[in-house]
Short mmCIF file of all heavy atoms in Angstrom, two decimals:
data_model
loop_
_atom_site.label_atom_id
_atom_site.label_comp_id
_atom_site.label_asym_id
_atom_site.label_seq_id
_atom_site.Cartn_x
_atom_site.Cartn_y
_atom_site.Cartn_z
N ARG A 73 -7.80 18.17 -6.50
CA ARG A 73 -6.88 17.82 -7.51
C ARG A 73 -5.79 16.93 -7.06
O ARG A 73 -5.49 15.95 -7.72
CB ARG A 73 -6.26 19.14 -7.96
CG ARG A 73 -5.20 18.96 -9.20
CD ARG A 73 -4.90 20.37 -9.90
NE ARG A 73 -4.12 21.17 -8.82
CZ ARG A 73 -4.68 22.25 -8.30
NH1 ARG A 73 -5.87 22.62 -8.63
NH2 ARG A 73 -3.98 22.93 -7.40
N MET A 74 -5.21 17.22 -5.86
CA MET A 74 -4.27 16.35 -5.22
C MET A 74 -4.90 14.92 -4.98
O MET A 74 -3.95 13.92 -5.16
CB MET A 74 -3.73 16.98 -3.97
CG MET A 74 -2.88 18.17 -4.16
SD MET A 74 -1.38 17.93 -5.18
CE MET A 74 -0.89 19.54 -5.44
N THR A 75 -6.03 14.83 -4.56
CA THR A 75 -6.55 13.49 -4.34
C THR A 75 -6.78 12.72 -5.57
O THR A 75 -6.52 11.51 -5.55
CB THR A 75 -8.06 13.75 -3.68
OG1 THR A 75 -7.79 14.44 -2.39
CG2 THR A 75 -8.68 12.38 -3.25
N PHE A 76 -7.13 13.39 -6.75
CA PHE A 76 -7.28 12.67 -8.01
C PHE A 76 -5.92 12.07 -8.38
O PHE A 76 -5.93 11.09 -8.81
CB PHE A 76 -7.78 13.64 -9.01
CG PHE A 76 -7.90 13.06 -10.37
CD1 PHE A 76 -9.06 12.16 -10.68
CD2 PHE A 76 -6.99 13.27 -11.33
CE1 PHE A 76 -9.02 11.47 -11.94
CE2 PHE A 76 -7.08 12.84 -12.59
CZ PHE A 76 -8.00 11.97 -12.89
N ILE A 77 -4.96 13.08 -8.18
CA ILE A 77 -3.58 12.56 -8.65
C ILE A 77 -3.06 11.41 -7.88
O ILE A 77 -2.58 10.46 -8.29
CB ILE A 77 -2.56 13.74 -8.53
CG1 ILE A 77 -2.93 14.81 -9.52
CG2 ILE A 77 -1.12 13.14 -8.75
CD1 ILE A 77 -2.15 16.11 -9.27
N ALA A 78 -3.35 11.59 -6.42
CA ALA A 78 -2.85 10.55 -5.53
C ALA A 78 -3.53 9.12 -5.88
O ALA A 78 -2.96 8.05 -5.84
CB ALA A 78 -3.16 10.91 -4.06
N SER A 79 -4.92 9.22 -6.20
CA SER A 79 -5.62 8.01 -6.41
C SER A 79 -5.19 7.28 -7.65
O SER A 79 -5.14 6.02 -7.83
CB SER A 79 -7.17 8.23 -6.54
OG SER A 79 -7.47 9.22 -7.66
N CYS A 80 -4.76 8.08 -8.63
CA CYS A 80 -4.22 7.47 -9.94
C CYS A 80 -2.97 6.73 -9.57
O CYS A 80 -2.78 5.50 -10.12
CB CYS A 80 -3.95 8.49 -10.88
SG CYS A 80 -5.50 9.34 -11.54
N PHE A 81 -2.11 7.31 -8.79
CA PHE A 81 -0.81 6.60 -8.44
C PHE A 81 -1.05 5.29 -7.63
O PHE A 81 -0.41 4.35 -7.86
CB PHE A 81 0.13 7.52 -7.70
CG PHE A 81 0.86 8.53 -8.69
CD1 PHE A 81 0.60 9.84 -8.40
CD2 PHE A 81 1.58 8.22 -9.64
CE1 PHE A 81 1.15 10.93 -9.14
CE2 PHE A 81 2.18 9.07 -10.47
CZ PHE A 81 2.05 10.43 -10.28
N MET A 82 -1.97 5.42 -6.84
CA MET A 82 -2.36 4.23 -5.94
C MET A 82 -2.81 3.11 -6.88
O MET A 82 -2.58 1.95 -6.55
CB MET A 82 -3.40 4.65 -4.86
CG MET A 82 -3.86 3.53 -3.89
SD MET A 82 -2.39 2.81 -3.08
CE MET A 82 -3.17 1.69 -2.08
N CYS A 83 -3.63 3.45 -7.91
CA CYS A 83 -4.26 2.41 -8.69
C CYS A 83 -3.14 1.76 -9.55
O CYS A 83 -3.19 0.40 -9.58
CB CYS A 83 -5.14 3.02 -9.76
SG CYS A 83 -6.82 3.46 -9.17
N ILE A 84 -2.06 2.37 -9.79
CA ILE A 84 -0.94 1.73 -10.56
C ILE A 84 -0.21 0.73 -9.67
O ILE A 84 0.13 -0.45 -10.02
CB ILE A 84 0.11 2.86 -11.12
CG1 ILE A 84 -0.68 3.64 -12.18
CG2 ILE A 84 1.17 2.08 -11.75
CD1 ILE A 84 0.18 4.87 -12.66
N SER A 85 0.07 1.24 -8.41
CA SER A 85 0.73 0.34 -7.49
C SER A 85 -0.14 -0.81 -7.03
O SER A 85 0.33 -1.96 -7.03
CB SER A 85 0.96 1.10 -6.12
OG SER A 85 1.62 0.34 -5.21
N TRP A 86 -1.52 -0.50 -6.81
CA TRP A 86 -2.34 -1.73 -6.47
C TRP A 86 -2.53 -2.73 -7.62
O TRP A 86 -2.62 -3.94 -7.35
CB TRP A 86 -3.74 -1.19 -6.17
CG TRP A 86 -4.70 -2.10 -5.55
CD1 TRP A 86 -4.87 -2.60 -4.32
CD2 TRP A 86 -5.61 -2.78 -6.37
NE1 TRP A 86 -5.74 -3.47 -4.26
CE2 TRP A 86 -6.32 -3.62 -5.40
CE3 TRP A 86 -6.10 -2.83 -7.69
CZ2 TRP A 86 -7.30 -4.55 -5.81
CZ3 TRP A 86 -7.03 -3.68 -8.08
CH2 TRP A 86 -7.71 -4.44 -7.12
N THR A 87 -2.50 -2.20 -8.91
CA THR A 87 -2.66 -3.19 -10.04
C THR A 87 -1.39 -4.17 -10.05
O THR A 87 -1.50 -5.37 -10.22
CB THR A 87 -2.65 -2.40 -11.24
OG1 THR A 87 -4.07 -1.60 -11.19
CG2 THR A 87 -2.85 -3.37 -12.43
N ALA A 88 -0.16 -3.51 -9.90
CA ALA A 88 0.93 -4.34 -9.85
C ALA A 88 1.02 -5.26 -8.72
O ALA A 88 1.34 -6.58 -8.84
CB ALA A 88 2.23 -3.47 -9.78
N PHE A 89 0.54 -4.86 -7.55
CA PHE A 89 0.46 -5.71 -6.35
C PHE A 89 -0.59 -7.00 -6.57
O PHE A 89 -0.21 -8.05 -6.27
CB PHE A 89 0.05 -4.83 -5.17
CG PHE A 89 -0.45 -5.67 -3.95
CD1 PHE A 89 0.59 -6.28 -3.15
CD2 PHE A 89 -1.75 -5.84 -3.66
CE1 PHE A 89 0.14 -7.04 -2.00
CE2 PHE A 89 -2.12 -6.54 -2.54
CZ PHE A 89 -1.24 -7.21 -1.78
N THR A 90 -1.76 -6.53 -7.16
CA THR A 90 -2.78 -7.63 -7.28
C THR A 90 -2.37 -8.58 -8.38
O THR A 90 -2.66 -9.84 -8.23
CB THR A 90 -4.08 -6.85 -7.68
OG1 THR A 90 -4.35 -5.91 -6.85
CG2 THR A 90 -5.18 -8.01 -7.63
N TRP A 91 -1.65 -8.10 -9.36
CA TRP A 91 -1.13 -9.06 -10.49
C TRP A 91 -0.28 -10.16 -9.90
O TRP A 91 -0.29 -11.27 -10.09
CB TRP A 91 -0.39 -8.38 -11.54
CG TRP A 91 0.10 -9.28 -12.62
CD1 TRP A 91 -0.58 -9.56 -13.78
CD2 TRP A 91 1.36 -9.95 -12.67
NE1 TRP A 91 0.25 -10.54 -14.52
CE2 TRP A 91 1.35 -10.67 -13.80
CE3 TRP A 91 2.50 -9.89 -11.78
CZ2 TRP A 91 2.55 -11.40 -14.11
CZ3 TRP A 91 3.54 -10.62 -12.15
CH2 TRP A 91 3.60 -11.34 -13.38
N ALA A 92 0.65 -9.59 -8.96
CA ALA A 92 1.56 -10.58 -8.28
C ALA A 92 0.87 -11.56 -7.43
O ALA A 92 1.12 -12.74 -7.30
CB ALA A 92 2.47 -9.80 -7.39
N MET A 93 -0.26 -11.00 -6.73
CA MET A 93 -1.01 -11.93 -5.86
C MET A 93 -1.79 -13.11 -6.57
O MET A 93 -1.95 -14.08 -6.13
CB MET A 93 -2.11 -10.99 -5.07
CG MET A 93 -1.67 -10.01 -4.06
SD MET A 93 -0.86 -10.76 -2.62
CE MET A 93 0.88 -10.41 -3.17
N THR A 94 -2.21 -12.70 -7.72
CA THR A 94 -2.98 -13.59 -8.51
C THR A 94 -2.25 -14.43 -9.57
O THR A 94 -2.94 -15.24 -10.29
CB THR A 94 -4.13 -12.88 -9.20
OG1 THR A 94 -3.66 -11.85 -10.00
CG2 THR A 94 -5.09 -12.31 -8.21
N ASN A 95 -0.92 -14.31 -9.64
CA ASN A 95 -0.03 -15.18 -10.66
C ASN A 95 1.06 -15.84 -9.91
O ASN A 95 2.10 -15.94 -10.52
CB ASN A 95 0.40 -14.18 -11.64
CG ASN A 95 -0.70 -13.65 -12.60
OD1 ASN A 95 -0.87 -14.37 -13.60
ND2 ASN A 95 -1.44 -12.54 -12.36
N ASP A 96 0.84 -16.10 -8.60
CA ASP A 96 1.88 -16.97 -7.88
C ASP A 96 3.29 -16.22 -7.74
O ASP A 96 4.27 -16.78 -7.89
CB ASP A 96 2.14 -18.24 -8.62
CG ASP A 96 0.75 -19.12 -8.51
OD1 ASP A 96 0.10 -19.04 -7.47
OD2 ASP A 96 0.55 -19.90 -9.44
N ARG A 97 3.17 -14.92 -7.61
CA ARG A 97 4.36 -14.10 -7.45
C ARG A 97 4.31 -13.26 -6.16
O ARG A 97 4.73 -12.07 -6.14
CB ARG A 97 4.48 -13.11 -8.74
CG ARG A 97 4.52 -13.81 -9.99
CD ARG A 97 5.91 -14.57 -10.33
NE ARG A 97 6.95 -13.60 -10.46
CZ ARG A 97 7.18 -13.03 -11.69
NH1 ARG A 97 6.45 -13.47 -12.77
NH2 ARG A 97 8.17 -12.26 -11.87
N VAL A 98 3.96 -13.93 -5.06
CA VAL A 98 3.76 -13.30 -3.78
C VAL A 98 5.14 -12.84 -3.34
O VAL A 98 5.28 -11.70 -2.73
CB VAL A 98 3.19 -14.08 -2.73
CG1 VAL A 98 3.00 -13.44 -1.44
CG2 VAL A 98 1.73 -14.41 -3.31
N ILE A 99 6.23 -13.48 -3.61
CA ILE A 99 7.57 -13.05 -3.18
C ILE A 99 7.98 -11.76 -3.89
O ILE A 99 8.56 -10.91 -3.29
CB ILE A 99 8.63 -14.23 -3.57
CG1 ILE A 99 8.42 -15.39 -2.54
CG2 ILE A 99 10.01 -13.57 -3.39
CD1 ILE A 99 9.40 -16.42 -2.68
N ASP A 100 7.53 -11.70 -5.13
CA ASP A 100 7.79 -10.37 -5.91
C ASP A 100 7.05 -9.24 -5.21
O ASP A 100 7.61 -8.14 -5.08
CB ASP A 100 7.38 -10.58 -7.37
CG ASP A 100 8.35 -11.36 -8.10
OD1 ASP A 100 9.32 -11.74 -7.65
OD2 ASP A 100 8.01 -11.35 -9.30
N ALA A 101 5.81 -9.52 -4.76
CA ALA A 101 5.10 -8.49 -4.07
C ALA A 101 5.78 -8.16 -2.74
O ALA A 101 5.86 -6.94 -2.37
CB ALA A 101 3.64 -8.89 -3.79
N SER A 102 6.25 -9.13 -2.03
CA SER A 102 7.03 -8.95 -0.80
C SER A 102 8.24 -7.99 -1.05
O SER A 102 8.55 -7.08 -0.37
CB SER A 102 7.47 -10.24 -0.22
OG SER A 102 8.26 -10.14 0.88
N LEU A 103 9.01 -8.36 -2.11
CA LEU A 103 10.19 -7.54 -2.43
C LEU A 103 9.80 -6.03 -2.71
O LEU A 103 10.48 -5.08 -2.34
CB LEU A 103 10.87 -8.12 -3.76
CG LEU A 103 12.12 -7.42 -4.22
CD1 LEU A 103 13.26 -7.30 -3.13
CD2 LEU A 103 12.68 -8.01 -5.42
N GLY A 104 8.66 -5.89 -3.44
CA GLY A 104 8.19 -4.57 -3.78
C GLY A 104 8.01 -3.73 -2.53
O GLY A 104 8.38 -2.46 -2.49
N PHE A 105 7.43 -4.28 -1.48
CA PHE A 105 7.30 -3.52 -0.22
C PHE A 105 8.39 -3.60 0.72
O PHE A 105 8.54 -2.83 1.70
CB PHE A 105 5.89 -4.07 0.50
CG PHE A 105 4.70 -3.53 -0.26
CD1 PHE A 105 3.90 -4.43 -0.86
CD2 PHE A 105 4.48 -2.28 -0.28
CE1 PHE A 105 2.83 -4.02 -1.43
CE2 PHE A 105 3.26 -1.84 -0.88
CZ PHE A 105 2.49 -2.71 -1.59
N PHE A 106 9.49 -4.25 0.36
CA PHE A 106 10.75 -4.14 1.01
C PHE A 106 11.50 -3.01 0.40
O PHE A 106 12.33 -2.36 1.14
CB PHE A 106 11.72 -5.47 1.02
CG PHE A 106 11.36 -6.53 2.00
CD1 PHE A 106 10.99 -7.74 1.78
CD2 PHE A 106 11.41 -5.99 3.28
CE1 PHE A 106 10.68 -8.74 2.79
CE2 PHE A 106 11.24 -6.97 4.40
CZ PHE A 106 10.87 -8.29 4.11
N ILE A 107 11.30 -2.77 -0.94
CA ILE A 107 12.00 -1.73 -1.62
C ILE A 107 11.31 -0.39 -1.22
O ILE A 107 11.96 0.64 -1.19
CB ILE A 107 11.92 -1.89 -3.13
CG1 ILE A 107 12.62 -3.11 -3.55
CG2 ILE A 107 12.43 -0.69 -3.79
CD1 ILE A 107 12.43 -3.51 -4.99
N SER A 108 9.97 -0.47 -0.98
CA SER A 108 9.17 0.79 -0.79
C SER A 108 9.76 1.68 0.36
O SER A 108 9.82 2.90 0.23
CB SER A 108 7.82 0.50 -0.52
OG SER A 108 6.88 1.57 -0.41
N PRO A 109 10.19 1.14 1.46
CA PRO A 109 10.93 1.98 2.52
C PRO A 109 12.03 2.71 2.05
O PRO A 109 12.28 3.84 2.46
CB PRO A 109 11.22 0.97 3.58
CG PRO A 109 10.24 -0.12 3.42
CD PRO A 109 10.10 -0.27 1.90
N LEU A 110 12.80 2.20 0.97
CA LEU A 110 13.91 2.88 0.49
C LEU A 110 13.43 4.16 -0.19
O LEU A 110 14.00 5.32 -0.07
CB LEU A 110 14.68 1.98 -0.63
CG LEU A 110 15.20 0.67 0.00
CD1 LEU A 110 15.91 -0.13 -1.19
CD2 LEU A 110 16.15 0.88 1.08
#
Side-chain angles (χ1 to χ4, degrees):
R73 183 172 61 253
M74 291 297 174
T75 303
F76 177 76
I77 296 172
S79 61
C80 290
F81 285 121
M82 183 58 179
C83 282
I84 297 173
S85 177
W86 185 84
T87 300
F89 167 75
T90 312
W91 181 88
M93 294 293 100
T94 57
N95 286 272
D96 298 323
R97 302 286 290 272
V98 178
I99 288 183
D100 285 359
S102 174
L103 178 61
F105 284 113
F106 272 125
I107 297 172
S108 187
L110 305 180

